[in-house]
Amino acid sequence: MNVAGGAAERLIGRWDRLVEANPAAEVIDTLLRGVGQVMFQNNPVTGLLFLVGIFVNSPKLGLFALLGVAVSTATAFLLRADPTLIRNGLFGFNGVLTGIGLAVFLQFDPLLIAYVAVGAAVSTIVMMALANALAGWDMPALTAPFVITTWLMLFAIYSFGHLVPTPLIAPVAVEPGAPVQTALRSLPFGGAAGATLPNLANSVFTGAGQVMFQDNAWTGFIFLVAILVNSRVSAAFAFVGSILAMLTAMALGGSGVAIYHGLYGFNGVLTAIALGGLFLMLTWRSAVYALIGVIFTTVAFAGFSVLLSPIGMPALTAPFVATTWLFLLPKAGFRALEPVPMGEVSTPEQVREAQTGRWRGPEHGPAPGTAP
Amino acid sequence: MNVAGGAAERLIGRWDRLVEANPAAEVIDTLLRGVGQVMFQNNPVTGLLFLVGIFVNSPKLGLFALLGVAVSTATAFLLRADPTLIRNGLFGFNGVLTGIGLAVFLQFDPLLIAYVAVGAAVSTIVMMALANALAGWDMPALTAPFVITTWLMLFAIYSFGHLVPTPLIAPVAVEPGAPVQTALRSLPFGGAAGATLPNLANSVFTGAGQVMFQDNAWTGFIFLVAILVNSRVSAAFAFVGSILAMLTAMALGGSGVAIYHGLYGFNGVLTAIALGGLFLMLTWRSAVYALIGVIFTTVAFAGFSVLLSPIGMPALTAPFVATTWLFLLPKAGFRALEPVPMGEVSTPEQVREAQTGRWRGPEHGPAPGTAP
Amino acid sequence: MNVAGGAAERLIGRWDRLVEANPAAEVIDTLLRGVGQVMFQNNPVTGLLFLVGIFVNSPKLGLFALLGVAVSTATAFLLRADPTLIRNGLFGFNGVLTGIGLAVFLQFDPLLIAYVAVGAAVSTIVMMALANALAGWDMPALTAPFVITTWLMLFAIYSFGHLVPTPLIAPVAVEPGAPVQTALRSLPFGGAAGATLPNLANSVFTGAGQVMFQDNAWTGFIFLVAILVNSRVSAAFAFVGSILAMLTAMALGGSGVAIYHGLYGFNGVLTAIALGGLFLMLTWRSAVYALIGVIFTTVAFAGFSVLLSPIGMPALTAPFVATTWLFLLPKAGFRALEPVPMGEVSTPEQVREAQTGRWRGPEHGPAPGTAP
């Protein structure tokens, strides 16, 4: 990174000057940050790499991600939300997820474009609603706006003949004690089954990819690199979160196919980033706390999935939202942890530096590229 | 309206004097306002016309509406809730809906009367609970007390042999991609199927009627007239809300039978009234915002219905409550919208007049009959 | 009680001196209070008797109760929660219930011990989260941390091959109007069916036992005696709550087997204790209010059970939590009731005495043994 770092820093500096001078560039920068914020990274380069990762796997989903981020950000602009929040991409990430989420679970149709546009617009309204509702506890909305909006719009499709679900939507009748195939393997079956190194690696990287519904280990790898550009600590927690979620699911005997395809991992990735130095000051205790959060998130993923199995609907990132809210809400109640005030959330590195006094950054937003 | 207006105004003036002098008339006035508040109309004439509309369709449901409003209002009185709130009918409307809702979905039995009485009493407790819980955000409880109370009491009936559901309760196994019959038609089949003018008109008016579970276009028509007595703006939004909800359901391919019988409309009617000048100052932007709210409410109705389909239970007005809460909670976060403080909510007309300074009304409660 | 009272008081005095001097005794005292707090009794003798009651019925469940209370209390200590709250057992009771709850519904396996430990630790985090979230309304978390944690961990088990549910987990397809066997009887069938005195007594006492999942009338009897040690009023409300819940279920035609085994009773027992003089000052009006709460809790138990029947999961104490929250939230909104500030909650007797001025106790925590 250090060798490439100099060249990258020069490029970023040039981009920053362009953004200040050119409104079109500012719009692009805002939308890229919106994409980056899907994993809490207020950084246009991270957002760009996220898009690269999505397009590598599926240009169609990439276009829906762009539609989502554009409509949700434009909605915030038209409703005159706080310009600083818009500029930091906080009205973009739920739109990205709503766009991809609806396009993954519903077959393409021109009507789907309008459906996604409505969903992305509503995700911005729900974002502002939750931000306001949670302000008294100084708590983040996380991806709850995406979950609420997309859940209602997905559940609805059984009632609507003009929108058809993809085969990913499949109601399942639960059966107590039914055996679970625990051997790691891909679907359709290919490669050796079991806890081989390729299978484990596929699970870990696809776990990162599935945060944006990308069933692709390379995409997941690009996502992790994209986070690394903005924060080493967050990238490390994302990686460890995916591993620990996989191990938790394996220890409990989760479906090997689901584990292989990263379905047990993506919520753990998000919980690990959120609790790992971002909303709680990074210490040894908070790191262990974050790991317990990842374990519980993995169980909660199975729990939400079962709850929705009679209608065959996905848990989305609800397990992450629920666990992270519950783990952050204690706030000052646990004196072993130090919550980061919402106005000072940037990267784990900057928060620690600001606190230890070695570096005094701006209170809002990171200084992209300067952190690590 | 203007010709009849003079005579009506004199009648209302006489009634107002009677109410001040006679405690029995005051009780009746309070109960009628409770009925009117089902659609946010703090007006005894509106409440009276609502009752007329219900009795035209079903005297049985009319009696249960009376039982509900009486018990819920009496409970508030016995528990010594704020007399002004009681007087404005705010402890009556959830009782009305609980009474009709339980009587529509459960077969008649003497036990049902006791069951409704308990439900109506509890709806008042839940109303006070939510009013207190939401006070910090200056948010209304809407019909959430009815939804919470009635959901729990309806879900329960599978466990109770002494209460039998009507055929309206029917569990459905969801099936992805199953075809939906989209042609508008009545059940049992009669008249021409399809988007004919009579069918569209039936859908729009019954959409208003279904706010109180009345599957009857004439009842819906009377309801709209009843709203018109108190506020032209609210009546217009109710009408447009029902039309837009119908069109949304048709565009997405909803069940033609459900659309014909107004099931896609009633939540949209309520959302349209709430967001259309009542809790948000009426402007062009807030009107568009209200219409987006109606569209999302319609989708949310399908979403809640599917979520409850394994146990065959109705969505009630949960789609309206969820959407309206989410659309109101942003409050000052969206500077393009002007939220009306809860203490100043009356009719869209009075709120605008108070704000533009042409008319200075009392801060609490409408002046019935003077508005339009 | 008066004859034994003197000897008991001397023993308790000796224990109190030991606790002050010996850290190990202090730990034991803390854990016993944690067990006592399952039914709001901050009293080590009550906790000890609760454990006796559990071990009488099932030593296995007794051990899981101990594991739960130990891990959840230790977690609070490690995270440095308020020592006074820890000392009063407020981080123990959710762990007790999580421990027993998981062990009742899942077959034994060494993995279950780790699963319970994670659950107990998370229950403490959720407890602190809810305590903080509810502080603004001065509301108690009740057993919601147990319900949230245990629900997610139980729902999950269909996905996990290494944990197998017991036969108590059984999905049921709902069928409107299906007949319900209402005659009280045990399972497996034994003894006379119907509302005989032994059957009624079994229902009432087992209703108390089922608060901690103990299907045993003697255990329930010991639980009631254990409460009596700390508060006559709470014991009376627990007893009356169990009776009224049983009668409500019988009046509505609930399953006779479920009623016999106390399944309709345990939520009512908890609601009766909570609303009966503990969180609301005891008066005739609040007593009637508490009884309406018990009736609604019983209906809500059926409602939650039906809602979860497609996945065959238990309602746990959610009906109690939901009802008690809704009945307490009105706070000062109902001037007929006097809410007890959270900091002054101890026993109904002490709260009344403190208020009437006859006795001035410490503001936090009861003085064990002196109450009755």
Side-chain angles (χ1 to χ4, degrees), chain B residues 78-80 115 125 128-129 132-133 155 158 160-162, chain C residues 137 251-253 285 289 299 306 326 329 333-336:
Chain B
L78 289 172
L79 290 168
R80 300 187 58 213
Y115 207 60
I125 294 167
M128 194 72 245
N132 186 24
F155 297 173
Y158 290 105
F160 293 143
H162 297 169
Chain C
W137 294 284
L252 292 166
R285 288 205 184 197
Y289 192 75
V299 174
V306 166
L326 292 172
L329 257 175
F334 289 147
R335 280 171 302 136

PDB file of all heavy atoms in Angstrom, chain B residues 78-80 115 125 128-129 132-133 155 158 160-162, chain C residues 137 251-253 285 289 299 306 326 329 333-336:
ATOM      1  N   LEU B  78     -63.432   6.734  33.529  1.00  0.00           N
ATOM      2  CA  LEU B  78     -63.204   6.078  34.823  1.00  0.00           C
ATOM      3  C   LEU B  78     -61.743   6.153  35.250  1.00  0.00           C
ATOM      4  O   LEU B  78     -61.434   6.242  36.440  1.00  0.00           O
ATOM      5  CB  LEU B  78     -63.646   4.610  34.757  1.00  0.00           C
ATOM      6  CG  LEU B  78     -65.158   4.395  34.694  1.00  0.00           C
ATOM      7  CD1 LEU B  78     -65.464   2.920  34.431  1.00  0.00           C
ATOM      8  CD2 LEU B  78     -65.811   4.859  36.004  1.00  0.00           C
ATOM      9  N   LEU B  79     -60.840   6.093  34.272  1.00  0.00           N
ATOM     10  CA  LEU B  79     -59.412   6.156  34.606  1.00  0.00           C
ATOM     11  C   LEU B  79     -58.933   7.603  34.722  1.00  0.00           C
ATOM     12  O   LEU B  79     -57.757   7.850  34.960  1.00  0.00           O
ATOM     13  CB  LEU B  79     -58.597   5.392  33.556  1.00  0.00           C
ATOM     14  CG  LEU B  79     -58.785   3.873  33.601  1.00  0.00           C
ATOM     15  CD1 LEU B  79     -58.184   3.210  32.359  1.00  0.00           C
ATOM     16  CD2 LEU B  79     -58.131   3.294  34.865  1.00  0.00           C
ATOM     17  N   ARG B  80     -59.862   8.532  34.551  1.00  0.00           N
ATOM     18  CA  ARG B  80     -59.587   9.963  34.708  1.00  0.00           C
ATOM     19  C   ARG B  80     -58.502  10.459  33.758  1.00  0.00           C
ATOM     20  O   ARG B  80     -57.521  11.089  34.162  1.00  0.00           O
ATOM     21  CB  ARG B  80     -59.250  10.290  36.163  1.00  0.00           C
ATOM     22  CG  ARG B  80     -60.410   9.930  37.104  1.00  0.00           C
ATOM     23  CD  ARG B  80     -60.193  10.380  38.529  1.00  0.00           C
ATOM     24  NE  ARG B  80     -59.975  11.799  38.624  1.00  0.00           N
ATOM     25  CZ  ARG B  80     -59.180  12.373  39.532  1.00  0.00           C
ATOM     26  NH1 ARG B  80     -58.525  11.633  40.390  1.00  0.00           N
ATOM     27  NH2 ARG B  80     -59.034  13.673  39.569  1.00  0.00           N
ATOM     28  N   TYR B 115     -66.359  -9.874  24.947  1.00  0.00           N
ATOM     29  CA  TYR B 115     -65.037  -9.829  24.293  1.00  0.00           C
ATOM     30  C   TYR B 115     -64.790  -8.442  23.708  1.00  0.00           C
ATOM     31  O   TYR B 115     -63.708  -7.869  23.866  1.00  0.00           O
ATOM     32  CB  TYR B 115     -65.013 -10.893  23.189  1.00  0.00           C
ATOM     33  CG  TYR B 115     -63.649 -11.447  22.835  1.00  0.00           C
ATOM     34  CD1 TYR B 115     -62.864 -12.090  23.789  1.00  0.00           C
ATOM     35  CD2 TYR B 115     -63.147 -11.347  21.545  1.00  0.00           C
ATOM     36  CE1 TYR B 115     -61.624 -12.622  23.453  1.00  0.00           C
ATOM     37  CE2 TYR B 115     -61.920 -11.875  21.196  1.00  0.00           C
ATOM     38  CZ  TYR B 115     -61.157 -12.510  22.153  1.00  0.00           C
ATOM     39  OH  TYR B 115     -59.935 -13.037  21.824  1.00  0.00           O
ATOM     40  N   ILE B 125     -56.642   2.026  27.021  1.00  0.00           N
ATOM     41  CA  ILE B 125     -55.373   1.952  27.762  1.00  0.00           C
ATOM     42  C   ILE B 125     -54.206   2.031  26.779  1.00  0.00           C
ATOM     43  O   ILE B 125     -53.238   2.773  26.998  1.00  0.00           O
ATOM     44  CB  ILE B 125     -55.332   0.653  28.595  1.00  0.00           C
ATOM     45  CG1 ILE B 125     -56.409   0.715  29.690  1.00  0.00           C
ATOM     46  CG2 ILE B 125     -53.950   0.432  29.185  1.00  0.00           C
ATOM     47  CD1 ILE B 125     -56.683  -0.608  30.372  1.00  0.00           C
ATOM     48  N   MET B 128     -53.714   5.602  25.515  1.00  0.00           N
ATOM     49  CA  MET B 128     -52.990   6.476  26.447  1.00  0.00           C
ATOM     50  C   MET B 128     -51.519   6.082  26.482  1.00  0.00           C
ATOM     51  O   MET B 128     -50.631   6.945  26.565  1.00  0.00           O
ATOM     52  CB  MET B 128     -53.621   6.338  27.839  1.00  0.00           C
ATOM     53  CG  MET B 128     -53.206   7.420  28.819  1.00  0.00           C
ATOM     54  SD  MET B 128     -53.937   9.037  28.439  1.00  0.00           S
ATOM     55  CE  MET B 128     -52.456   9.960  28.036  1.00  0.00           C
ATOM     56  N   ALA B 129     -51.251   4.768  26.423  1.00  0.00           N
ATOM     57  CA  ALA B 129     -49.866   4.285  26.426  1.00  0.00           C
ATOM     58  C   ALA B 129     -49.095   4.860  25.240  1.00  0.00           C
ATOM     59  O   ALA B 129     -47.996   5.407  25.388  1.00  0.00           O
ATOM     60  CB  ALA B 129     -49.834   2.750  26.391  1.00  0.00           C
ATOM     61  N   ASN B 132     -48.579   8.687  25.299  1.00  0.00           N
ATOM     62  CA  ASN B 132     -47.477   9.037  26.192  1.00  0.00           C
ATOM     63  C   ASN B 132     -46.132   8.657  25.572  1.00  0.00           C
ATOM     64  O   ASN B 132     -45.171   9.432  25.597  1.00  0.00           O
ATOM     65  CB  ASN B 132     -47.662   8.317  27.535  1.00  0.00           C
ATOM     66  CG  ASN B 132     -46.640   8.751  28.555  1.00  0.00           C
ATOM     67  OD1 ASN B 132     -46.091   9.853  28.453  1.00  0.00           O
ATOM     68  ND2 ASN B 132     -46.356   7.897  29.533  1.00  0.00           N
ATOM     69  N   ALA B 133     -46.076   7.460  24.979  1.00  0.00           N
ATOM     70  CA  ALA B 133     -44.812   6.994  24.402  1.00  0.00           C
ATOM     71  C   ALA B 133     -44.358   7.889  23.261  1.00  0.00           C
ATOM     72  O   ALA B 133     -43.164   8.113  23.059  1.00  0.00           O
ATOM     73  CB  ALA B 133     -44.956   5.551  23.921  1.00  0.00           C
ATOM     74  N   PHE B 155     -56.057 -13.007  16.610  1.00  0.00           N
ATOM     75  CA  PHE B 155     -55.131 -14.141  16.496  1.00  0.00           C
ATOM     76  C   PHE B 155     -55.544 -15.240  17.477  1.00  0.00           C
ATOM     77  O   PHE B 155     -55.469 -16.433  17.189  1.00  0.00           O
ATOM     78  CB  PHE B 155     -53.698 -13.727  16.822  1.00  0.00           C
ATOM     79  CG  PHE B 155     -53.098 -12.712  15.894  1.00  0.00           C
ATOM     80  CD1 PHE B 155     -51.856 -12.152  16.171  1.00  0.00           C
ATOM     81  CD2 PHE B 155     -53.746 -12.309  14.738  1.00  0.00           C
ATOM     82  CE1 PHE B 155     -51.276 -11.226  15.323  1.00  0.00           C
ATOM     83  CE2 PHE B 155     -53.175 -11.375  13.884  1.00  0.00           C
ATOM     84  CZ  PHE B 155     -51.938 -10.829  14.186  1.00  0.00           C
ATOM     85  N   TYR B 158     -58.177 -18.874  17.265  1.00  0.00           N
ATOM     86  CA  TYR B 158     -57.936 -20.274  16.913  1.00  0.00           C
ATOM     87  C   TYR B 158     -57.827 -21.142  18.170  1.00  0.00           C
ATOM     88  O   TYR B 158     -58.053 -22.344  18.131  1.00  0.00           O
ATOM     89  CB  TYR B 158     -56.648 -20.421  16.106  1.00  0.00           C
ATOM     90  CG  TYR B 158     -56.712 -19.866  14.707  1.00  0.00           C
ATOM     91  CD1 TYR B 158     -56.097 -18.668  14.393  1.00  0.00           C
ATOM     92  CD2 TYR B 158     -57.385 -20.551  13.718  1.00  0.00           C
ATOM     93  CE1 TYR B 158     -56.141 -18.161  13.101  1.00  0.00           C
ATOM     94  CE2 TYR B 158     -57.447 -20.060  12.426  1.00  0.00           C
ATOM     95  CZ  TYR B 158     -56.818 -18.859  12.118  1.00  0.00           C
ATOM     96  OH  TYR B 158     -56.867 -18.365  10.853  1.00  0.00           O
ATOM     97  N   PHE B 160     -59.531 -20.616  20.973  1.00  0.00           N
ATOM     98  CA  PHE B 160     -60.711 -20.537  21.835  1.00  0.00           C
ATOM     99  C   PHE B 160     -61.933 -21.151  21.156  1.00  0.00           C
ATOM    100  O   PHE B 160     -62.463 -20.616  20.176  1.00  0.00           O
ATOM    101  CB  PHE B 160     -60.995 -19.084  22.207  1.00  0.00           C
ATOM    102  CG  PHE B 160     -59.930 -18.463  23.085  1.00  0.00           C
ATOM    103  CD1 PHE B 160     -59.556 -17.138  22.925  1.00  0.00           C
ATOM    104  CD2 PHE B 160     -59.293 -19.206  24.073  1.00  0.00           C
ATOM    105  CE1 PHE B 160     -58.584 -16.571  23.743  1.00  0.00           C
ATOM    106  CE2 PHE B 160     -58.319 -18.641  24.888  1.00  0.00           C
ATOM    107  CZ  PHE B 160     -57.964 -17.322  24.713  1.00  0.00           C
ATOM    108  N   GLY B 161     -62.422 -22.256  21.710  1.00  0.00           N
ATOM    109  CA  GLY B 161     -63.538 -22.963  21.103  1.00  0.00           C
ATOM    110  C   GLY B 161     -64.866 -22.227  21.181  1.00  0.00           C
ATOM    111  O   GLY B 161     -65.777 -22.509  20.411  1.00  0.00           O
ATOM    112  N   HIS B 162     -64.996 -21.265  22.110  1.00  0.00           N
ATOM    113  CA  HIS B 162     -66.295 -20.611  22.290  1.00  0.00           C
ATOM    114  C   HIS B 162     -66.488 -19.393  21.391  1.00  0.00           C
ATOM    115  O   HIS B 162     -67.512 -18.727  21.459  1.00  0.00           O
ATOM    116  CB  HIS B 162     -66.503 -20.233  23.756  1.00  0.00           C
ATOM    117  CG  HIS B 162     -66.534 -21.432  24.655  1.00  0.00           C
ATOM    118  ND1 HIS B 162     -66.484 -21.362  26.014  1.00  0.00           N
ATOM    119  CD2 HIS B 162     -66.592 -22.763  24.378  1.00  0.00           C
ATOM    120  CE1 HIS B 162     -66.506 -22.570  26.538  1.00  0.00           C
ATOM    121  NE2 HIS B 162     -66.565 -23.441  25.561  1.00  0.00           N
TER     122      HIS B 162
ATOM    123  N   TRP C 137     -38.969   6.996  29.756  1.00  0.00           N
ATOM    124  CA  TRP C 137     -40.369   6.831  30.173  1.00  0.00           C
ATOM    125  C   TRP C 137     -40.459   6.265  31.600  1.00  0.00           C
ATOM    126  O   TRP C 137     -41.544   5.939  32.063  1.00  0.00           O
ATOM    127  CB  TRP C 137     -41.107   5.891  29.213  1.00  0.00           C
ATOM    128  CG  TRP C 137     -41.275   6.421  27.838  1.00  0.00           C
ATOM    129  CD1 TRP C 137     -42.172   7.371  27.425  1.00  0.00           C
ATOM    130  CD2 TRP C 137     -40.551   6.032  26.663  1.00  0.00           C
ATOM    131  NE1 TRP C 137     -42.034   7.587  26.080  1.00  0.00           N
ATOM    132  CE2 TRP C 137     -41.068   6.789  25.574  1.00  0.00           C
ATOM    133  CE3 TRP C 137     -39.520   5.127  26.411  1.00  0.00           C
ATOM    134  CZ2 TRP C 137     -40.566   6.665  24.274  1.00  0.00           C
ATOM    135  CZ3 TRP C 137     -39.036   5.003  25.117  1.00  0.00           C
ATOM    136  CH2 TRP C 137     -39.553   5.759  24.072  1.00  0.00           C
ATOM    137  N   ALA C 251     -63.498 -19.692  30.219  1.00  0.00           N
ATOM    138  CA  ALA C 251     -64.678 -18.982  29.707  1.00  0.00           C
ATOM    139  C   ALA C 251     -64.651 -18.859  28.189  1.00  0.00           C
ATOM    140  O   ALA C 251     -65.686 -18.860  27.529  1.00  0.00           O
ATOM    141  CB  ALA C 251     -64.762 -17.596  30.345  1.00  0.00           C
ATOM    142  N   LEU C 252     -63.449 -18.732  27.637  1.00  0.00           N
ATOM    143  CA  LEU C 252     -63.327 -18.551  26.187  1.00  0.00           C
ATOM    144  C   LEU C 252     -63.215 -19.885  25.456  1.00  0.00           C
ATOM    145  O   LEU C 252     -63.209 -19.917  24.225  1.00  0.00           O
ATOM    146  CB  LEU C 252     -62.125 -17.659  25.874  1.00  0.00           C
ATOM    147  CG  LEU C 252     -62.279 -16.199  26.313  1.00  0.00           C
ATOM    148  CD1 LEU C 252     -60.941 -15.472  26.280  1.00  0.00           C
ATOM    149  CD2 LEU C 252     -63.284 -15.488  25.413  1.00  0.00           C
ATOM    150  N   GLY C 253     -63.100 -20.971  26.211  1.00  0.00           N
ATOM    151  CA  GLY C 253     -63.027 -22.282  25.570  1.00  0.00           C
ATOM    152  C   GLY C 253     -61.617 -22.656  25.133  1.00  0.00           C
ATOM    153  O   GLY C 253     -61.428 -23.211  24.058  1.00  0.00           O
ATOM    154  N   ARG C 285     -58.872   0.845  42.640  1.00  0.00           N
ATOM    155  CA  ARG C 285     -58.897   1.030  41.187  1.00  0.00           C
ATOM    156  C   ARG C 285     -57.732   0.313  40.511  1.00  0.00           C
ATOM    157  O   ARG C 285     -57.892  -0.309  39.471  1.00  0.00           O
ATOM    158  CB  ARG C 285     -58.809   2.526  40.854  1.00  0.00           C
ATOM    159  CG  ARG C 285     -60.083   3.230  41.198  1.00  0.00           C
ATOM    160  CD  ARG C 285     -60.255   4.472  40.371  1.00  0.00           C
ATOM    161  NE  ARG C 285     -61.451   5.160  40.824  1.00  0.00           N
ATOM    162  CZ  ARG C 285     -62.084   6.089  40.139  1.00  0.00           C
ATOM    163  NH1 ARG C 285     -61.626   6.464  38.965  1.00  0.00           N
ATOM    164  NH2 ARG C 285     -63.163   6.655  40.613  1.00  0.00           N
ATOM    165  N   TYR C 289     -57.719  -2.629  37.735  1.00  0.00           N
ATOM    166  CA  TYR C 289     -56.901  -2.415  36.532  1.00  0.00           C
ATOM    167  C   TYR C 289     -55.980  -3.611  36.313  1.00  0.00           C
ATOM    168  O   TYR C 289     -55.832  -4.111  35.195  1.00  0.00           O
ATOM    169  CB  TYR C 289     -56.106  -1.136  36.758  1.00  0.00           C
ATOM    170  CG  TYR C 289     -55.387  -0.547  35.565  1.00  0.00           C
ATOM    171  CD1 TYR C 289     -56.083   0.134  34.575  1.00  0.00           C
ATOM    172  CD2 TYR C 289     -53.999  -0.615  35.467  1.00  0.00           C
ATOM    173  CE1 TYR C 289     -55.416   0.721  33.508  1.00  0.00           C
ATOM    174  CE2 TYR C 289     -53.318  -0.028  34.402  1.00  0.00           C
ATOM    175  CZ  TYR C 289     -54.038   0.645  33.426  1.00  0.00           C
ATOM    176  OH  TYR C 289     -53.375   1.226  32.378  1.00  0.00           O
ATOM    177  N   VAL C 299     -55.653 -13.532  26.903  1.00  0.00           N
ATOM    178  CA  VAL C 299     -56.012 -13.497  25.484  1.00  0.00           C
ATOM    179  C   VAL C 299     -54.744 -13.310  24.644  1.00  0.00           C
ATOM    180  O   VAL C 299     -54.557 -13.968  23.616  1.00  0.00           O
ATOM    181  CB  VAL C 299     -57.015 -12.356  25.210  1.00  0.00           C
ATOM    182  CG1 VAL C 299     -57.275 -12.212  23.719  1.00  0.00           C
ATOM    183  CG2 VAL C 299     -58.316 -12.602  25.966  1.00  0.00           C
ATOM    184  N   VAL C 306     -50.701 -18.325  18.573  1.00  0.00           N
ATOM    185  CA  VAL C 306     -51.187 -18.555  17.206  1.00  0.00           C
ATOM    186  C   VAL C 306     -50.222 -17.928  16.196  1.00  0.00           C
ATOM    187  O   VAL C 306     -49.881 -18.521  15.173  1.00  0.00           O
ATOM    188  CB  VAL C 306     -52.603 -17.973  17.032  1.00  0.00           C
ATOM    189  CG1 VAL C 306     -52.984 -17.900  15.556  1.00  0.00           C
ATOM    190  CG2 VAL C 306     -53.612 -18.801  17.812  1.00  0.00           C
ATOM    191  N   LEU C 326     -47.977  -1.937  28.040  1.00  0.00           N
ATOM    192  CA  LEU C 326     -49.106  -1.113  27.587  1.00  0.00           C
ATOM    193  C   LEU C 326     -49.914  -0.575  28.766  1.00  0.00           C
ATOM    194  O   LEU C 326     -50.427   0.537  28.718  1.00  0.00           O
ATOM    195  CB  LEU C 326     -50.009  -1.922  26.645  1.00  0.00           C
ATOM    196  CG  LEU C 326     -49.378  -2.271  25.290  1.00  0.00           C
ATOM    197  CD1 LEU C 326     -50.257  -3.234  24.508  1.00  0.00           C
ATOM    198  CD2 LEU C 326     -49.118  -1.011  24.471  1.00  0.00           C
ATOM    199  N   LEU C 329     -47.473   2.207  30.548  1.00  0.00           N
ATOM    200  CA  LEU C 329     -47.065   3.381  29.779  1.00  0.00           C
ATOM    201  C   LEU C 329     -47.972   4.607  29.940  1.00  0.00           C
ATOM    202  O   LEU C 329     -47.500   5.737  29.805  1.00  0.00           O
ATOM    203  CB  LEU C 329     -46.948   3.024  28.289  1.00  0.00           C
ATOM    204  CG  LEU C 329     -45.533   2.824  27.754  1.00  0.00           C
ATOM    205  CD1 LEU C 329     -45.581   2.347  26.312  1.00  0.00           C
ATOM    206  CD2 LEU C 329     -44.703   4.100  27.836  1.00  0.00           C
ATOM    207  N   GLY C 333     -50.973   9.863  32.610  1.00  0.00           N
ATOM    208  CA  GLY C 333     -52.110  10.125  31.725  1.00  0.00           C
ATOM    209  C   GLY C 333     -53.433   9.689  32.315  1.00  0.00           C
ATOM    210  O   GLY C 333     -54.489  10.233  31.974  1.00  0.00           O
ATOM    211  N   PHE C 334     -53.409   8.692  33.192  1.00  0.00           N
ATOM    212  CA  PHE C 334     -54.615   8.263  33.913  1.00  0.00           C
ATOM    213  C   PHE C 334     -54.474   8.721  35.357  1.00  0.00           C
ATOM    214  O   PHE C 334     -53.726   8.118  36.135  1.00  0.00           O
ATOM    215  CB  PHE C 334     -54.765   6.736  33.863  1.00  0.00           C
ATOM    216  CG  PHE C 334     -55.142   6.192  32.502  1.00  0.00           C
ATOM    217  CD1 PHE C 334     -54.682   4.953  32.084  1.00  0.00           C
ATOM    218  CD2 PHE C 334     -55.983   6.910  31.656  1.00  0.00           C
ATOM    219  CE1 PHE C 334     -55.052   4.437  30.840  1.00  0.00           C
ATOM    220  CE2 PHE C 334     -56.345   6.402  30.406  1.00  0.00           C
ATOM    221  CZ  PHE C 334     -55.871   5.168  29.998  1.00  0.00           C
ATOM    222  N   ARG C 335     -55.218   9.759  35.723  1.00  0.00           N
ATOM    223  CA  ARG C 335     -55.050  10.278  37.076  1.00  0.00           C
ATOM    224  C   ARG C 335     -55.692   9.391  38.136  1.00  0.00           C
ATOM    225  O   ARG C 335     -55.518   9.623  39.338  1.00  0.00           O
ATOM    226  CB  ARG C 335     -55.567  11.721  37.155  1.00  0.00           C
ATOM    227  CG  ARG C 335     -54.510  12.709  36.589  1.00  0.00           C
ATOM    228  CD  ARG C 335     -55.076  14.094  36.454  1.00  0.00           C
ATOM    229  NE  ARG C 335     -56.240  14.074  35.593  1.00  0.00           N
ATOM    230  CZ  ARG C 335     -57.375  14.723  35.842  1.00  0.00           C
ATOM    231  NH1 ARG C 335     -57.490  15.454  36.943  1.00  0.00           N
ATOM    232  NH2 ARG C 335     -58.387  14.644  35.006  1.00  0.00           N
ATOM    233  N   ALA C 336     -56.403   8.353  37.709  1.00  0.00           N
ATOM    234  CA  ALA C 336     -56.974   7.407  38.677  1.00  0.00           C
ATOM    235  C   ALA C 336     -55.911   6.439  39.199  1.00  0.00           C
ATOM    236  O   ALA C 336     -56.158   5.697  40.143  1.00  0.00           O
ATOM    237  CB  ALA C 336     -58.114   6.626  38.032  1.00  0.00           C
TER     238      ALA C 336
END
